[in-house]
Amino acid sequence: MAGKSNSNDTQDQAGRDETRAERLDRNWDELMQELRVAQTGVQILSGFLLTLPFQDRFSDLSDVETAIYLLAVILAAIATVLIIAPVAYHRLLFRQQEKDLLVQAGNRFARSGLLVLAFAVTAVIYLIFDVVLGTTAGIVAFAALFALFLTCWVLLPLWSARD
């Protein structure tokens, strides 16, 4: 790229010289790599949840515990949809020169999917601690894990970006 002067060329804060199309391709590739990690996690969580009703103790759950379980299943399903949505979006818009739209929509789906995934995981943690140790332990585990998600997935990145 050195020596080329093009009105579409940009230089980002990291000093990359790339065209808008190259930046969009890089952003899309990075998003897909991130979603591969999230997809694996949400698939493992969903698989775990789908096996629970077939366990002997499942019928012992209280109405509240059953509701929390169903909430966790719904949240895991929604997270699955949101995290995989960029792939479907890409398939439908393939070769239609809509990379900018794909990157923007993919980013929104990924962020939404991660948020829902955090709630699904914390709901499962609440349920497990509630069944094993009681409601108070479930609430404490939920709050602690939610605080950890908030810290690692929101506060630390925002704080780091300020520097």
Side-chain angles (χ1 to χ4, degrees), residues 79-101:
T80 300
V81 169
L82 293 170
I83 289 170
I84 296 175
V87 175
Y89 225 85
H90 181 264
R91 278 297 95 207
L92 290 173
L93 297 180
F94 186 65
R95 293 188 178 169
Q96 292 186 21
Q97 310 304 314
E98 295 289 350
K99 187 64 70 98
D100 191 34
L101 176 62

Side-chain angles (χ1 to χ4, degrees), residues 26 49 62 79 82 105 145 157:
R26 179 178 51 81
L49 288 171
S62 70
L82 293 170
L145 186 58

Side-chain angles (χ1 to χ4, degrees), residues 12-81:
D12 69 7
Q13 294 171 339
R16 290 185 185 96
D17 285 322
E18 58 189 2
T19 65
R20 177 174 171 76
E22 290 169 334
R23 186 179 74 252
L24 288 170
D25 286 342
R26 179 178 51 81
N27 289 165
W28 180 254
D29 289 343
E30 289 175 4
L31 179 63
M32 289 298 100
Q33 286 298 104
E34 293 166 2
L35 289 176
R36 282 183 184 98
V37 173
Q39 285 173 351
T40 302
V42 77
Q43 288 169 341
I44 290 168
L45 177 63
S46 296
F48 165 74
L49 288 171
L50 294 175
T51 66
L52 289 182
F54 303 102
Q55 305 301 314
D56 290 336
R57 287 191 60 198
F58 189 80
S59 61
D60 295 341
L61 294 181
S62 70
D63 289 345
V64 171
E65 291 166 340
T66 301
I68 296 293
Y69 166 76
L70 292 173
L71 176 66
V73 169
I74 290 168
L75 290 171
I78 292 169
T80 300
V81 169

Side-chain angles (χ1 to χ4, degrees), residues 104-121:
Q104 289 177 23
N107 180 52
R108 286 186 192 109
F109 280 125
R111 293 171 84 154
S112 299
L114 290 172
L115 176 66
V116 175
L117 178 59
F119 281 110
V121 171

